[in-house]
């Protein structure tokens, strides 16, 4: 039975926080998670360098989260000269509000099961671009509800973002993801599946 979450859209952001994160003249993409090796924020930050190499300045990369690799990521930004294209926000205590300001959530992890932040993005209609590993392809309908990336590198994610944005796939997938979330990943949908499983087990036991 898949996890279910409460609808984050039910919590409205504070008025004084509206527009806090978004760069109004950019395509805003974000990473959200603990800054540890498995999450591969270094690959996310590498997207900015890959885009710079392509002379594409349309995107801005936002990092929400803290952790032991924060200093290494700052050094990477300095080394690659992408200070103007990357914002490090640290720990965010209202990710739904931050997600609302983003044009895409990017999942660069080495592996994932069913990440809650991805479900939140799906519920809010925020497009998801994810490494095609673990449970993420299934949650994203094998690409019908999000962009799946096999090239696990900054260049690979940059190419996927550019293609999906320019083709309109980001928004099409986000709309499909909201429908999929409503059907499969709400708390009510999760409870219904548990109830059905219990009924099946009880019925099986009664017949034995």
């Amino acid at each position: 039975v898949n996890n279910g979450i409460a609808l984050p859209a039910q919590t409205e952001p504070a008025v004084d926080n509206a527009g806090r994160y978004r760069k109004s003249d950019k395509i805003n993409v974000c990473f959200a998670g603990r800054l540890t090796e498995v999450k591969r924020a270094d690959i996310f930050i590498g997207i900015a360098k890959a885009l710079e190499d392509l002379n594409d300045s349309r995107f801005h990369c936002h990092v929400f989260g803290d952790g032991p690799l924060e200093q290494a990521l700052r050094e990477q930004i300095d080394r690659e000269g992408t200070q103007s294209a990357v914002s490090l926000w640290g720990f965010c205590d209202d990710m739904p509000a931050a997600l609302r300001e983003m044009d895409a959530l990017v999942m660069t992890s080495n592996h994932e099961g069913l990440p809650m932040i991805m479900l939140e993005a799906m519920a809010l209609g925020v497009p998801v671009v994810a490494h095609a590993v673990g449970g993420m392809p299934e949650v994203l309908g094998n690409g019908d509800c999000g962009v799946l990336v096999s090239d696990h590198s900054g260049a690979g994610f940059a190419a996927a973002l550019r293609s999906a944005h320019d083709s309109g796939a980001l928004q099409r997938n986000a709309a499909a993801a909201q429908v999929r979330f409503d059907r499969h990943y709400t708390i009510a949908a999760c409870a219904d599946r548990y109830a059905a499983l219990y009924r099946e087990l009880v019925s099986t036991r009664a017949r034995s």
Side-chain angles (χ1 to χ4, degrees):
V1 176
N2 291 320
N3 288 329
I5 65 168
L7 290 171
Q10 293 173 343
T11 303
E12 293 300 325
V15 174
D16 58 356
N17 281 337
R20 174 184 177 187
Y21 304 108
R22 183 175 181 82
K23 302 288 185 180
S24 61
D25 60 337
K26 298 292 184 179
I27 303 164
N28 294 267
V29 300
C30 77
F31 166 101
R34 184 85 171 135
L35 302 183
T36 57
E37 180 62 32
V38 70
K39 297 295 185 180
R40 297 308 303 270
D42 60 310
I43 289 179
F44 177 76
I45 288 176
I47 292 171
K49 180 63 168 66
L51 290 168
E52 181 182 272
D53 291 344
L54 293 168
N55 198 31
D56 189 342
S57 60
R58 296 175 296 165
F59 295 80
H60 192 86
C61 297
H62 302 259
V63 177
F64 297 100
D66 55 17
L69 296 184
E70 181 175 346
Q71 183 57 36
L73 297 177
R74 292 185 182 279
E75 292 171 2
Q76 178 185 349
I77 293 168
D78 290 342
R79 184 171 63 252
E80 295 177 347
T82 54
Q83 295 91 338
S84 64
V86 180
S87 295
L88 299 181
W89 294 101
F91 175 76
C92 179
D93 60 4
D94 190 359
M95 271 311 303
L99 279 173
R100 286 188 188 91
E101 299 184 21
M102 298 294 113
D103 297 301
L105 169 70
V106 181
M107 307 284 298
T108 51
S109 303
N110 286 338
H111 56 81
E112 288 279 1
L114 201 169
M116 296 299 101
I117 187 66
M118 187 162 70
L119 295 184
E120 289 181 336
M122 292 170 68
L124 291 168
V126 177
V128 177
V129 179
H131 187 201
V133 293
M136 293 193 286
E138 178 185 356
V139 176
L140 294 176
N142 292 313
D144 292 337
C145 302
V147 178
L148 296 172
V149 181
S150 297
D151 182 350
H152 197 210
S153 67
F157 277 92
L161 278 165
R162 296 178 80 222
S163 176
H165 176 269
D166 293 346
S167 69
L170 284 180
Q171 292 306 318
R172 289 195 300 273
N173 289 348
Q178 277 190 302
V179 174
R180 185 168 176 81
F181 173 84
D182 289 341
R183 289 178 177 171
H184 300 286
Y185 299 106
T186 63
I187 288 177
C190 178
D192 286 344
R193 285 194 295 274
Y194 271 115
L197 176 60
Y198 293 152
R199 285 193 294 268
E200 179 183 349
L201 292 173
V202 170
S203 175
T204 300
R205 182 167 182 174
R207 292 196 302 268
S208 63

